[in-house]
Amino acid sequence: GPRYGTEFEQIVPRGSDLYVLIDVSRSMLADDVAPSRLGRAKADVASLVNRLEGERIGLIAFAGQAVVKSPLTVDYDSFRRALQELDPNSAPRGGTAIGDAIRKALEVFSAKVERDQSILLITDGDDQQSYPLEAAEVAAERQVAIFTVGLGDSSQGARVPAKSDGKTYVEYQGEQVWSKLDGT
């Protein structure tokens, strides 16, 4: 029959935390992906943010060193501002250290897992011996999912601009430097 009354049940909401790791090395200025690899990464992440509903998101820029540009937040406007400011000067050292970026994300994630934790890694994949597979194994042990996005042309590639104006290109021993997507 009909029942009435009140019953209280404590529910602990479980959400998601996502750190977006974006490669800001000079090779990300190559234009084999329009408008550039970095420009595409920023546009795609901005589109992703528009779909979030209460999840916390943070931003780490990396090249030869990883730097937290936005801690985990639900203030999506603040995150978007940090995202738009990304350029090759966002990281203090040149190169690409994917493993160091993953380790930085694991360092700033809470060790006490109350929420699902994941990493979105966007790069052209040209790592300089930062041991990304070992870092990924540590992430797997902590149950942190890693999603990777490779940007760039893996067959021909593109020249690496010396400046963001795209009119001059990086040279090494008198030859222009070309960058290709390294999917491995």
Side-chain angles (χ1 to χ4, degrees):
R3 297 181 190 176
Y4 62 93
T6 305
E7 185 178 319
F8 291 97
E9 181 180 348
Q10 178 142 0
I11 298 174
V12 178
R14 183 167 173 96
S16 298
D17 289 342
L18 170 67
Y19 260 108
V20 178
L21 282 54
I22 298 182
D23 183 348
V24 294
S25 62
R26 186 144 314 275
S27 63
M28 290 292 285
L29 295 178
D31 61 1
D32 52 350
V33 177
S36 68
R37 295 173 186 173
L38 182 58
R40 170 63 68 84
K42 290 164 50 171
D44 289 349
V45 170
S47 177
L48 169 69
V49 172
N50 292 336
R51 297 180 185 203
L52 298 181
E53 296 178 2
E55 295 86 1
R56 295 190 307 183
I57 189 167
L59 181 63
I60 296 177
F62 73 95
Q65 186 175 349
V67 178
V68 176
K69 292 298 184 178
S70 172
L72 289 172
T73 184
V74 291
D75 183 353
Y76 301 141
D77 289 333
S78 171
F79 177 87
R80 283 187 194 96
R81 283 190 298 276
L83 178 66
Q84 287 308 310
E85 292 172 0
L86 287 185
D87 63 21
N89 297 320
S90 297
R93 200 169 53 222
T96 303
I98 297 170
D100 293 349
I102 294 170
R103 282 185 279 280
K104 176 60 94 173
L106 294 175
E107 175 187 318
V108 294
F109 266 134
S110 172
K112 183 179 173 189
V113 180
E114 298 172 348
R115 302 165 63 93
D116 294 327
Q117 297 176 333
S118 54
I119 293 171
L120 174 60
L121 172 67
I122 303 174
T123 182
D124 57 14
D126 192 21
D127 184 68
Q128 275 102 35
Q129 299 180 341
S130 68
Y131 306 104
L133 294 179
E134 288 82 352
E137 288 173 5
V138 173
E141 290 170 7
R142 287 187 47 187
Q143 298 182 341
V144 175
I146 300 177
F147 302 95
T148 58
V149 177
L151 290 177
D153 180 0
S154 61
S155 58
Q156 185 176 354
R159 295 178 292 180
V160 177
K163 297 180 181 170
S164 57
D165 64 8
K167 295 178 182 174
T168 58
Y169 298 95
V170 174
E171 291 188 6
Y172 179 73
Q173 295 181 346
E175 298 286 326
Q176 289 183 345
V177 175
W178 284 70
S179 172
K180 297 179 184 178
L181 169 65
D182 181 0
T184 58

